[in-house]
Amino acid sequence: MNVGAFLTKAARLHPAKIAVADGGIRLRCDEMNARAAAFAAGLSLRGYAPGDRVVLFMPNRADYLVALFGLFKGGFVAVPANAKLHASELGFIVGHCGARAVVCSEKSRAVVAAALAGLPGVDQIDADGAGAGSFAAVVEGGRPQAAADAEVAPDDLAWIFYTSGTTGRPKGAMLSHRNLSAMTMNALADVCDFQPEDVVLHVAPLSHGSGLYALPSIARGATNLIAGGSFDPDECLRTIARERVTIIAFLAPTMIHMLLEADPALKVPELRRVPYGGAPIDPGLAEAAIARFGPVFAQLYGQGESPMTITGLRPQDHRGRALLSAGTVRTDVEVRLVDEAGGPVPEGAEGEICVRGEVVMRGYWNDPAADAKALKAGWLHTGDIGRFEDGYLYLLSRMNDVIISGGSNIYPREIEDVLMLHPAVREVCVFGEPDGKWGESVTAAVVAAAPVGADELQEFCRRHIASFKKPKRIAFVEALPKNAYGKIVRREVKAALSGG
């Protein structure tokens, strides 16, 4: 089934129901469906073919969901990208997936223009413009030709989710219509039973978890309330109260921490479910959040390669030792732990977490080597180490040293590559340190080749990568520990500078 049919059916069942709201913009289900279908038809009239990739690069807004579902409906492939990316990072994604176009907003025009400077032939579709190449022009041009949802095979691509690893450049996890349908049904079964009466608030980026959970929300005809800009906890709670929000689509634990710092006089009695994930949550933070907002939280452990669906904690599981876990295995997936040779480990022993099910990606875009490493005999090898206790999965460590800060993955190799471009840096090792607010923060151990200050290196990083990835702390050292092969031993650097 084409996942664009979620919107088609919602428009048929609830035509007058508000599907998406953004400030003064209110689109009914039938209006959103017609606009999405027109966007798909408009692209087809401009020569786009099913399977063509289109990057979505803009902050949260109503037309983000219109564009997303329009791409599904037309059989195109959506490539949502974090709106905070640097031009070089966006340019890599656009070039790597061979995108036909980038949909942007006024706020992201300059970054997109810089990203496309070396990529001729890629269209820039401006969601705020009015010219011939604007989003509005594509939609209006397609209205007379808008047709039924394109016929797709279950394994046809719908979404490329750019994730990454410690080896550097991002990898594009290929998610099919089958994968997204499985994720949607899992969400409805295990996370939240979205209903037409619900008002669902999107405050996290639609390019990630919040956008993925727009699918079950739209499928059930709920109202999707879009919040853009930086996260303001007081304003978030005022919006929840004013708009009678019942569900927050997705939060990172950092955002829950910020909500606890909001004005205690702000009450949200109608809030009934808050899925969260992207990083471990401190048990004390979880208990404080439950004490203030009630038993509304549902934890998710998943990856872009198995979106939103590996294990999780139900609201009733948020107690005692279970709070230290990643929860129990989702209904429609299998999870097993394996040793370094790929064999099963004994009950209670630790091993690499492997996942099998309809939600597991097809593979990585144009990266057979990464496929061979991650997908073996139908199982996704996550690179995470865990242990089962009484049916609950406990995450112990990550095989790939990814730093998770504020719910975002940050990859040490990427930052190291940038710092090594600076003439005053001889060697560098990047790692994560515990941070009470963000989960982890980025630290760089630097061996200097010439006098240089931490501020200069942080500014250098900011000019080359997204600001949230730059090191929060830079420690200057005389030398970095190495093994017999001359490779820097990251764990020893971390132990020496942060105590673990």
Side-chain angles (χ1 to χ4, degrees):
M1 183 186 76
N2 185 326
V3 292
F6 291 147
L7 177 56
T8 306
K9 291 187 284 186
R12 187 178 300 129
L13 286 169
H14 314 284
K17 178 78 165 47
I18 298 299
V20 61
D22 177 10
I25 299 172
R26 295 286 192 274
L27 292 178
R28 304 184 323 183
C29 284
D30 57 357
E31 292 171 332
M32 180 181 175
N33 187 56
R35 188 168 174 80
F39 180 60
L43 291 178
S44 295
L45 289 171
R46 292 169 183 243
Y48 290 59
D52 282 347
R53 280 76 62 203
V54 175
V55 174
L56 301 179
F57 185 74
M58 50 187 171
N60 288 5
R61 55 185 293 153
D63 273 338
Y64 198 114
L65 293 182
V66 171
L68 182 66
F69 275 87
L71 294 173
F72 294 155
K73 285 173 167 291
F76 309 114
V77 182
V79 188
N82 189 328
K84 296 180 181 179
L85 291 181
H86 188 275
S88 63
E89 297 166 316
L90 175 64
F92 172 80
I93 290 173
V94 173
H96 184 260
C97 74
R100 284 288 305 269
V102 179
V103 182
C104 65
S105 66
E106 182 178 7
K107 291 182 178 179
S108 57
R109 276 180 200 148
V111 175
V112 173
L116 300 186
L119 295 168
V122 180
D123 297 334
Q124 185 169 336
I125 301 175
D126 192 338
D128 292 310
S134 68
F135 186 83
V138 175
V139 170
E140 290 309 309
R143 285 194 188 279
Q145 303 295 325
D149 302 335
E151 288 292 327
V152 298
D155 288 328
D156 283 349
L157 287 189
W159 182 314
I160 298 180
F161 191 104
Y162 269 88
T163 180
S164 196
T166 55
T167 55
R169 290 295 196 176
K171 301 189 293 291
M174 298 187 292
L175 303 179
S176 67
H177 289 265
R178 186 200 303 273
N179 296 149
L180 295 181
S181 293
M183 179 209 71
T184 298
M185 297 308 295
N186 180 284
L188 293 171
D190 284 357
V191 181
C192 182
D193 59 335
F194 293 85
Q195 296 296 325
E197 298 77 22
D198 282 316
V199 177
V200 182
L201 178 63
H202 294 272
V203 288
L206 290 171
S207 57
H208 292 72
S210 206
L212 286 164
Y213 270 7
L215 272 68
S217 176
I218 291 288
R220 284 287 175 83
T223 295
N224 291 267
L225 182 63
I226 308 298
S230 58
F231 181 66
D232 182 324
D234 284 330
E235 180 57 30
C236 177
L237 294 182
R238 283 193 289 268
T239 299
I240 292 171
R242 182 179 63 251
E243 301 289 344
R244 305 182 73 175
V245 169
T246 56
I247 299 168
I248 303 178
F250 181 77
L251 291 180
T254 300
M255 301 168 86
I256 298 175
H257 186 281
M258 295 171 73
L259 287 178
L260 285 173
E261 296 176 340
D263 183 352
L266 296 170
K267 307 298 183 183
V268 288
E270 295 186 69
L271 189 65
R272 72 178 185 89
R273 190 58 50 88
V274 181
Y276 70 93
I281 192 167
D282 178 82
L285 171 60
E287 290 168 353
I290 293 167
R292 176 165 180 180
F293 301 111
V296 300
F297 296 95
Q299 185 200 87
L300 310 169
Y301 164 55
Q303 296 184 333
E305 295 88 342
S306 180
M308 315 295 276
T309 314
I310 296 178
T311 63
L313 279 176
R314 302 170 301 167
Q316 58 267 41
D317 294 326
H318 280 65
R319 62 182 186 274
R321 179 164 169 74
L323 278 173
L324 297 171
S325 78
T328 57
V329 177
R330 295 290 186 204
T331 299
D332 66 339
V333 298
E334 297 174 81
V335 174
R336 70 177 184 181
L337 306 181
V338 301
D339 58 24
E340 292 183 0
V345 301
E347 186 68 26
E350 62 187 56
E352 183 182 5
I353 300 165
C354 298
V355 187
R356 182 167 67 179
E358 297 264 286
V359 76
V360 171
M361 67 170 182
R362 273 181 42 182
Y364 293 111
W365 179 267
N366 198 26
D367 198 339
D371 286 351
K373 184 176 180 180
L375 297 172
K376 300 174 183 178
W379 290 86
L380 169 68
H381 288 242
T382 67
D384 290 334
I385 302 297
R387 180 178 63 244
F388 277 109
E389 293 181 17
D390 300 323
Y392 289 82
L393 179 66
Y394 290 80
L395 301 181
L396 305 178
S397 66
R398 291 185 293 277
M399 295 173 66
N400 52 16
D401 296 319
V402 173
I403 300 164
I404 302 179
S405 182
S408 295
N409 284 2
I410 300 174
Y411 304 97
R413 172 67 181 274
E414 184 180 23
I415 303 167
E416 291 165 355
D417 287 347
V418 168
L419 284 169
M420 287 301 295
L421 295 173
H422 196 286
V425 174
R426 176 177 291 123
E427 291 182 324
V428 62
C429 179
V430 171
F431 57 93
E433 291 188 287
D435 185 298
K437 182 175 183 179
W438 301 105
E440 289 182 298
S441 61
V442 179
T443 294
V446 172
V447 178
V452 65
D455 290 346
E456 180 180 341
L457 293 181
Q458 288 169 328
E459 175 59 20
F460 184 80
C461 286
R462 191 193 64 78
R463 293 200 303 269
H464 289 82
I465 53 176
S467 182
F468 70 89
K469 299 179 182 179
K470 69 179 186 295
K472 184 176 181 180
R473 181 167 83 98
I474 294 181
F476 292 94
V477 296
E478 292 296 322
L480 293 171
K482 299 181 178 67
N483 63 18
Y485 299 99
K487 183 178 179 181
I488 294 170
V489 184
R490 194 185 309 274
R491 65 179 180 277
E492 293 185 13
V493 178
K494 184 173 182 177
L497 292 178
S498 67

